[in-house]
Amino acid sequence: MSQLEYRKAYGLDDIINKIMGGYTLGDFCVYTKEYELSAKADLVCYLESYPVISDDDEEVYPDFVVDNLLELFFYGDQFIDVLHNISNQREKPSVEDFIAGLNFYLENDNFIEL
């Protein structure tokens, strides 16, 4: 199996295609510089580890995220759950189907029904 890489620029469509094609990565979050409330296929994203919780109950983001002024877009578990939800509803989902599911999740904290 091929691995996705931390700290590398990917298009959102590329991440979706690679994950659905069997690429793997341990625990990850999806971060972006161009944070918007809606995902687009060409949105530039980076994969990096989860933030850690400090003694003051603050989220402390990885240095790469802070240094590059990135914002959390999706926790990896949520991202994978949304992709699996879409692939369970459609036999051959398109990137647009996945992005619709991601956008719905961002706006409603729930899964879309296609």
Side-chain angles (χ1 to χ4, degrees):
M1 283 223 181
S2 298
Q3 284 277 106
L4 287 164
E5 296 176 43
Y6 280 154
R7 298 178 283 284
K8 177 181 173 186
Y10 291 99
L12 181 59
D13 57 341
D14 197 27
I15 295 173
I16 292 167
N17 286 327
K18 285 183 183 317
I19 289 175
M20 296 313 296
Y23 278 64
T24 60
L25 182 66
D27 288 341
F28 70 93
C29 288
V30 181
Y31 296 91
T32 183
K33 202 176 274 198
E34 310 161 38
Y35 187 78
E36 297 174 16
L37 281 178
S38 59
K40 304 182 304 256
D42 62 352
L43 182 69
V44 176
C45 299
Y46 298 86
L47 306 176
E48 182 52 281
S49 55
Y50 273 75
V52 294
I53 306 300
S54 72
D55 294 337
D56 303 329
D57 275 342
E58 304 274 327
E59 288 187 325
V60 178
Y61 290 92
D63 290 342
F64 178 81
V65 171
V66 174
D67 293 346
N68 289 281
L69 305 173
L70 302 176
E71 295 188 43
L72 178 64
F73 188 51
F74 262 95
Y75 290 106
D77 292 341
Q78 292 172 325
F79 191 82
I80 298 290
D81 288 348
V82 171
L83 298 187
H84 285 158
N85 175 265
I86 297 299
S87 63
N88 286 335
Q89 293 186 57
R90 289 259 160 96
E91 191 171 325
K92 292 187 177 172
S94 66
V95 168
E96 289 75 24
D97 292 332
F98 289 118
I99 290 175
L102 291 167
N103 284 327
F104 188 87
Y105 193 91
L106 285 172
E107 294 165 14
N108 301 283
D109 198 26
N110 205 343
F111 298 110
I112 194 172
E113 292 197 26
L114 298 175

